Amino acid sequence: VKLILGVLAIGVLSVLLLSCENEQKQKRPNILFIMADDHTSQSISAYGTIFGDIFTTPNIDRLANEGMIFNNVYCTNAICGPSRATILTGKYSHVNSYFKNESGGQFNEKQWTFIKALNDNGYQTSLFGKWHLGSEPVGFDYFKYHNNKSQQGDYYDPLYNENGKNVREEGYATTLTGDFILNWLENGRDKDKPFAALLHFKAPHRPWKPEEKYKDLFKGIEMPYPDNFNDDYKGRELTAGDTWMTMDYFNRIDMKVTAPEGLEGKELWQWKTHGNNPDEAWLPEGCKTQEEARKWKYQRYIKDYLACVKSVDDNVGRVLDYLDANGLAENTIVVYTGDQGFYLGEHGWFDKRFMYETSSKMPFIVRYPEKVAAKSQSNDIITNADFAPTLLDFANVDVPEAIQGRSFAENLQGQTPADWRKSYYYQYYEYPFWHHVQPHYGVRNERYKLIHFYYNMDVWEFYDLEKDPNEMNNAIADPAYAEIIKEMKIDIVNHQNNLCIDKSLGVMRTMTDAELGLVGGH
Ligand code: SGN
Ligand code: CA
């Protein structure tokens, strides 16, 4: 009898334990990671924009109202593929090996990613929209990604790869991507398991084609210009002053005007130049001077860009409504971000790449009602390498040691750890295409930024962000900052050592002791 009772007791206990474990697993949060390509915080009303009531993002703002908005989340290499690779792996470009966006480049899909880890630990995983890593996605139960034009895709009637098969869909990419995820949430997934979905909109990437219904959204309005639209690049002639991303570099496809003679109907890559050589910069109809042309181009650009964002915002709204209607809002971590920042006319530019604030800063908003306070804010310095460990932390999945990022789960709950980082390291490699931005590395701390442009030049820049938030005044030679600069050079080396940057890779030049201020008369 004792034996029978004993066996029974063990049986009951294990059933109890099992159901407890199941409950634990059931309780694990869903993850909805929304990322829009090139979507920058100057076009999200929750961050404050120069557009006032002319343009708002009510649905993205809703996430900020109900969650935490971040003011200092940085991309460690501000360009598409590398940012995505860092987000997936929690590692810098030189470790995950995806430095550049080069067409034909391929992400090493054999390596660890947080999606694989979630999938291995019972999560239903999916990807919708832009992948852009050259490889086929691994670790997803379901995927449907843009699969033409080096995986950049099209705005209209896009070609997708759906679980390994190419399909062309009719319609507008942003709305289709919204349809795909709604369909998967409702019919595609195993509802007994938690989900982790990557919703990666192609918009608002170049060539900024708005949805039909938003084509005339800003008709007759003169959009405001950013303060430093007319930057003269003084003190930054070789770096900011020598790019291919000023208004002059918009081509006719970007501006939706007729192609140059003989090239009608051809794809952009078949045109003579991708942008326009500014010496040959074309004048839009009605413009008499290059000055007028720059403003005309900005107007067309900003209107199309914001119209593209409008569709993204609408589709974020559709998905949030679905979560509400299905009782999923409380237990779902919703992240909203862009793969880097982007210039909306600041410094006279479009595109990204620089370590300057506008391009290295990512919009980042998290809603997770169970753990994150509504209307909260964070100024902590966080990087895109930190996303993976944070999401795993909330999902109760082990974070491998090789991860370079750090979980900010506590920061999200309003408790910044005492030893949280005070600065972060950045490095950009792709040159000269597409936009002729010199390779550079640097550190940014709570107030200052030090950058070294190193590849075929040796130029240092230093900014006091409190006094000069727009980074117009390169204060590298200002004796008032000499001591700080010296300390920050040492900080660069410390970061490089911690991050295992192998200087023999030839991706960067080693600083001499003299440059570091460790010897000589500095
Ligand atoms: C394309 C664009 C560039 C852009 C890169 C990278 N040219 O090459 O302007 O910088 O993508 O963008 S285009 O005229 O072909 O659109 S990224 O978001 O993929 O990094
Ligand atoms: Ca991008």
Side-chain angles (χ1 to χ4, degrees), residues 39-283:
H39 193 192
T40 189
S41 37
Q42 314 92 277
S43 57
I44 295 177
S45 33
Y47 275 99
T49 75
I50 60 171
F51 309 110
D53 293 342
I54 308 173
F55 173 80
T56 56
T57 48
N59 295 296
I60 299 170
D61 292 5
R62 217 183 112 188
L63 290 172
N65 272 327
E66 296 167 6
M68 182 175 261
I69 188 162
F70 289 77
N71 297 317
N72 287 312
V73 168
Y74 292 95
C75 190
T76 46
N77 180 4
I79 179 169
C80 188
S83 175
R84 287 158 203 264
T86 293
I87 291 171
L88 284 170
T89 61
K91 294 170 190 157
Y92 271 68
S93 306
H94 65 284
V95 177
N96 68 43
S97 305
Y98 207 84
F99 298 87
K100 307 177 187 181
N101 242 354
E102 281 167 344
S103 40
Q106 202 174 324
F107 176 68
N108 173 3
E109 74 276 12
K110 292 199 184 74
Q111 66 190 305
W112 181 96
T113 66
F114 82 89
I115 277 292
K116 282 188 191 173
L118 288 172
N119 199 228
D120 289 345
N121 283 277
Y123 269 76
Q124 286 270 288
T125 53
S126 58
L127 161 77
F128 307 91
K130 188 163 171 178
W131 172 246
H132 199 220
L133 284 167
S135 59
E136 189 156 290
V138 174
F140 296 91
D141 293 306
Y142 177 87
F143 59 75
K144 192 160 184 174
Y145 68 88
H146 286 282
N147 200 25
N148 61 345
K149 307 201 170 146
S150 313
Q151 298 187 351
Q152 289 279 15
D154 282 313
Y155 276 99
Y156 280 96
D157 301 340
L159 182 80
Y160 293 96
N161 181 324
E162 183 182 21
N163 280 1
K165 235 179 84 196
N166 277 347
V167 277
R168 192 169 290 277
E169 298 279 0
E170 251 173 60
Y172 186 67
T174 308
T175 314
L176 287 168
T177 309
D179 294 344
F180 300 157
I181 189 167
L182 288 175
N183 185 31
W184 181 79
L185 286 170
E186 185 57 25
N187 307 310
R189 69 191 167 105
D190 174 352
K191 289 185 177 163
D192 292 333
K193 293 181 175 173
F195 69 81
L198 307 186
L199 176 55
H200 289 181
F201 294 106
K202 170 199 165 48
H205 188 271
R206 194 178 186 182
W208 314 290
K209 284 193 191 164
E211 193 168 3
E212 206 55 47
K213 66 178 175 194
Y214 288 139
K215 271 194 169 146
D216 293 324
L217 195 57
F218 306 105
K219 206 173 178 176
I221 299 174
E222 177 162 27
M223 306 299 274
Y225 297 83
D227 288 347
N228 55 353
F229 182 67
N230 292 312
D231 191 351
D232 60 3
Y233 314 118
K234 204 160 159 269
R236 293 155 288 136
E237 289 79 3
L238 294 173
T239 57
D242 188 19
T243 70
W244 300 337
M245 51 198 253
T246 59
M247 300 292 117
D248 305 320
Y249 283 87
F250 282 133
N251 59 55
R252 292 171 176 86
I253 284 186
D254 297 327
M255 299 286 103
K256 288 81 183 176
V257 298
T258 332
E261 222 176 298
L263 292 169
E264 300 89 348
K266 297 255 166 77
E267 293 289 349
L268 172 64
W269 59 268
Q270 292 165 294
W271 295 19
K272 199 172 110 217
T273 52
H274 293 292
N276 279 278
N277 181 336
D279 300 335
E280 319 162 352
W282 53 285
L283 289 176

